[in-house]
Structure formats: C-alpha cells, structure tokens
Amino acid sequence: MQAVTRGMEKKIGGKALNWAELGFEYIRTDLRFSARWRDGQWDEGRLIDSEIMSLHEGSPALHYAQECFEGLKAQCARDGRVLLFRPELNSERMNQAAGRLLMPEVPIELFLRGVEAAVWENRAWIPPFGSGANLYVRPMLIGVGGNLGLMPAKEFEFRVFVSPVGPYYKQAGLAPITLAVSAMDRAAPHGTGNFKVGANYAGGLLATRTARQQGASEALYLDAAENRYIDEAGSANILAVTRDGSLITPRSAAVLPGVTRRSIMQLAADRLNMPTAERPIDLREEFDDFAEMGACGTAAVLSPIARIWFDGAWQVINRRELGNKIHGAGVVGPIMQELYDLLVGIQQGEIAEDYGWIHAIGT
Ligand code: PLP
Ligand code: COI
C-alpha cells in the first residue's frame, strides 16, 4: 500500500492519518517478521505481508495461554536516525518468560534481527520527530500446532509486528493519570506476575474495566498475600518520590521487571543524585509520605499519578502541599517532570548518554 509522509500527516490508501491524534491502537503496517521453531531449531525467519495468522485449533497458545510478548518503541531522532531503547533487555525478558512457560528461547541475534527488520521495513510508518507519536514494536512467541493435553507445544512462532502509536493514556505528553486499587489480584507471589505472559493480562481485563468505570485511568494492584503492598498498575510499574526526596519503587516477586523503571531509577541516582530504593511499599502506611507518584512503562512512558481510589475514597497525592490545585486534571510534580524530560530526551537522541542504551538501526 502506498504510504506518504508529509509533516504531521501520512496518507495511507487515500485516508489521512494524523500523528498528533494517534491513540494506542493497532494500525496495520506493511510487513511483519516471522520465524518458526520446529524439530528443535529456529528457521532463519522472514518478512511477510499478511497480518492474519492461520493457527491449528489445537495450538497451546489458544487453550493454555502458552505465549509471551514484549513491547518496545522505535523513535525517529531529529537527524532522522531510527532509535530503539535497550532492546537487549526485551530479548532477555522474553527468554525468561520462555523458560517459565517451557518454550524455546529466541536467540538474541534472531530477536534483534526480527525487531530491526520489522522496524526498518516499515520506516515510512515511524512518526516524525516532535510529533509526540512513535512506532510501537510488539514481538511475541506463541506455542502452535495440534495439542490437546496440558503439554508444551511442539512448534513455536516468533513474530514481530509494529504499529504507530500515540499516548497510552488519553492525554498527550506528560499528563497526570488516576488509579483505582483493584479488588482482584493480578498475580500470585510465586505465579507468573514477573513474566510478560499473556495470561496475566487476560486476567486483568476485568480489573481495568472496573477501574475505568470508577473513573480511573487504570487499575492498581496490591500484593495478593496481604493486600497491603503496592505491586503495579495493569500496564505499568509504580514509582514514588518521598517527602525526603528519595525515589522508591516496589520490590515484589509478582511485578514485571520493567525496562523503563530500571532506567528511570538509574537516571534518578546518576543524574539527579537522588537516593533510590527498591523495597516493599505499604500503600496505606506510606501514602501521606509521597510527594509525587508516577506510573512508568514503554506504553505509559512516565505518567504522574494525581489520585488513587482506595478504601472507599479518592486519595489525593500530596494534598498537603498541592491542596486544591490537584483536583481535575492534576499537576505535574517537578521530579516527575525532570525524570520524564531526561528519559524521553535520551530515547529520542536529544540527550547524550554513555550507558549504551540507544540502539540505532539502519545506519
Ligand atoms: N508492568 C506491566 C504489567 C506492564 O505491562 C509493563 C509494560 O510493558 C510494565 C510494567 C513496564 O515495563 P517496560 O518498562 O519494560 O515496558
Ligand atoms: C507496554 O508498555 O509495552 C505493554 O506491553 C503494556 C501493554 C498493556 C500495552
């Protein structure tokens, strides 16, 4: 299909796509990468045209959720370079999930080749620098073929597709969100909460809908054992700035080890000289000590949290300091703003870094 990019607009098959208006939805791009594992080995993989997968009805991915996925973004830098952010960590995390679900690991070479090919061959779909949108990359690994009993699949597909996306939460850029503590648990202490497996998310759909019906952007999960410690949001990790200026994030065996939170924790320590800690966080005990809170992830980026619904009421973050200003849309705290600017600046190639986080492709 003919795609033409001009300023903030792209024409696809005669229909205009406005980068500035994109939400987080699937948009079909031209090509996707697909590799197959059979008889104990991966094939080379190739780019294919069709977004439709034809699966055996006995596929364990369909019955028993033997599947995992990843999420990362490709950005267009000011100078036109195409940048990925720490894709090796997505490869590592996919292989951890593969081990947990008895699936074959995807060698890092195959993972990166698939991601790079899917991004590069769809480069006309990468939103331009400064548009506020970017190209979301969705690698996935699924168990296919005819099975019936509870056994691992005999064949697997590794697929990578891409889609241009705007902000995950409705508001563009750095805008506050709200969370509602869920009465449902996301993950058991020794379950699969720390792996990016589809089953965790199917179980979270109802919690997300319930949170939205309560007027929140997203569900917040507390630990399943004591219903006390913060785990994470439905699609993002949690960060809090305490009144004494530390950045903390929950230590829990049930949360996804997020690439974004790991990066932000490091930036806070190295660039803002903040004390940082990953430790259990008791929501009710510690809430009044939070000066700022945020939800972070590839899709969520870093979204400040304005209010949380728990114990039958909306609890406002830092009401003491911010008072009534927080009502309505809420305000963005200074630390969240600084961390957001640093993170996004690095991801877009605007701020130099010497960690080796940026992975330029097609150069
Ligand atoms: N927690 C959950 C449940 C997620 O789905 C995500 C998003 O991928 C994250 C946390 C953040 O992880 P990352 O920063 O690697 O995207
Ligand atoms: C991501 O942030 O990459 C995710 O996978 C979250 C998903 C629910 C959109």
Side-chain angles (χ1 to χ4, degrees), residues 71 93 186 196 201 232-237 256-261 296-298:
R93 191 168 62 186
R186 176 176 183 274
K196 203 163 171 65
Y201 295 80
E232 61 184 330
S235 55
N237 291 122
L256 196 74
V259 175
T260 317
R261 93 162 170 163
C296 66
T298 299

Side-chain angles (χ1 to χ4, degrees), residues 173-174 264 267 271-272 301-302 332-351:
L174 184 67
I264 291 175
L267 290 172
R271 306 269 177 122
L272 304 187
V301 193
L302 176 56
V332 176
I335 305 287
M336 290 299 150
Q337 182 74 57
E338 262 189 288
L339 289 170
Y340 176 91
D341 291 344
L342 266 173
L343 176 75
V344 173
I346 289 173
Q347 290 175 333
Q348 295 184 340
E350 289 287 283
I351 296 178

Side-chain angles (χ1 to χ4, degrees), residues 84-162:
L84 300 175
F85 185 68
R86 311 187 78 180
E88 319 77 32
L89 295 185
N90 298 96
S91 161
E92 193 179 297
R93 191 168 62 186
M94 174 166 270
N95 285 339
Q96 287 161 358
R100 177 67 175 79
L101 298 190
L102 298 187
M103 303 196 281
E105 290 194 356
V106 177
I108 186 164
E109 178 280 323
L110 176 60
F111 183 93
L112 293 178
R113 187 158 50 81
V115 166
E116 289 188 19
V119 170
W120 190 250
E121 296 307 323
N122 291 300
R123 60 192 176 277
W125 293 89
I126 306 178
F129 177 82
S131 63
N134 30 53
L135 193 74
Y136 187 77
V137 186
R138 174 52 58 84
M140 58 202 207
L141 173 62
I142 68 173
V144 297
N147 276 42
L148 191 56
L150 183 55
M151 297 283 284
K154 293 180 200 74
E155 290 188 21
F156 295 86
E157 168 143 0
F158 169 60
R159 181 173 278 231
V160 188
F161 70 83
V162 299

Side-chain angles (χ1 to χ4, degrees), residues 21-323:
E21 282 171 11
L22 283 185
F24 197 88
E25 266 149 43
Y26 180 91
I27 291 174
R28 185 190 182 280
T29 54
D30 298 325
L31 294 167
R32 57 279 304 132
F33 182 85
S34 165
R36 198 84 170 186
W37 187 93
R38 55 168 78 87
D39 301 328
Q41 57 186 16
W42 285 104
D43 67 17
E44 269 289 287
R46 64 207 167 96
L47 285 158
I48 55 172
D49 183 61
S50 177
E51 74 277 31
I52 305 298
M53 298 177 91
S54 171
L55 293 188
H56 193 291
E57 62 193 7
S59 293
L62 302 178
H63 300 256
Y64 305 128
Q66 194 187 24
E67 80 87 40
C68 65
F69 67 98
E70 273 302 323
L72 64 162
K73 279 175 176 170
Q75 318 255 359
C76 182
R78 188 188 293 272
D79 60 7
R81 285 178 311 147
V82 175
L83 309 179
L84 300 175
F85 185 68
R86 311 187 78 180
E88 319 77 32
L89 295 185
N90 298 96
S91 161
E92 193 179 297
R93 191 168 62 186
M94 174 166 270
N95 285 339
Q96 287 161 358
R100 177 67 175 79
L101 298 190
L102 298 187
M103 303 196 281
E105 290 194 356
V106 177
I108 186 164
E109 178 280 323
L110 176 60
F111 183 93
L112 293 178
R113 187 158 50 81
V115 166
E116 289 188 19
V119 170
W120 190 250
E121 296 307 323
N122 291 300
R123 60 192 176 277
W125 293 89
I126 306 178
F129 177 82
S131 63
N134 30 53
L135 193 74
Y136 187 77
V137 186
R138 174 52 58 84
M140 58 202 207
L141 173 62
I142 68 173
V144 297
N147 276 42
L148 191 56
L150 183 55
M151 297 283 284
K154 293 180 200 74
E155 290 188 21
F156 295 86
E157 168 143 0
F158 169 60
R159 181 173 278 231
V160 188
F161 70 83
V162 299
S163 176
V165 294
Y168 188 66
Y169 301 113
K170 289 259 152 28
Q171 312 88 326
L174 184 67
I177 60 162
T178 58
L179 300 177
V181 168
S182 177
M184 287 165 252
D185 293 325
R186 176 176 183 274
H190 302 286
T192 54
N194 53 336
F195 299 99
K196 203 163 171 65
V197 302
N200 295 340
Y201 295 80
L205 290 171
L206 180 58
T208 303
R209 176 188 287 177
T210 308
R212 299 226 165 110
Q213 284 167 345
Q214 286 175 283
S217 320
E218 167 91 276
L220 175 66
Y221 297 99
L222 301 185
D223 77 289
E226 295 184 64
N227 187 39
R228 201 172 144 188
Y229 298 101
I230 299 176
D231 262 351
E232 61 184 330
S235 55
N237 291 122
I238 299 296
L239 300 167
V241 179
T242 57
R243 290 197 188 280
D244 66 4
S246 302
L247 185 69
I248 58 172
T249 191
R251 185 173 66 228
S252 161
V255 308
L256 196 74
V259 175
T260 317
R261 93 162 170 163
R262 185 159 153 184
S263 308
I264 291 175
M265 294 298 282
Q266 184 151 6
L267 290 172
D270 296 353
R271 306 269 177 122
L272 304 187
N273 289 318
M274 291 177 74
T276 59
E278 187 178 326
R279 62 164 176 79
I281 303 174
D282 187 319
L283 177 68
R284 296 176 188 88
E285 289 282 305
E286 302 194 45
F287 188 79
D288 284 343
D289 190 41
F290 297 155
E292 298 181 38
M293 257 184 115
C296 66
T298 299
V301 193
L302 176 56
S303 303
I305 298 164
R307 293 176 276 147
I308 303 183
W309 172 272
F310 62 92
D311 296 342
W314 282 108
Q315 318 279 351
V316 178
I317 312 289
N318 203 4
R319 186 197 296 272
R320 210 163 73 194
E321 301 291 320
L322 301 172

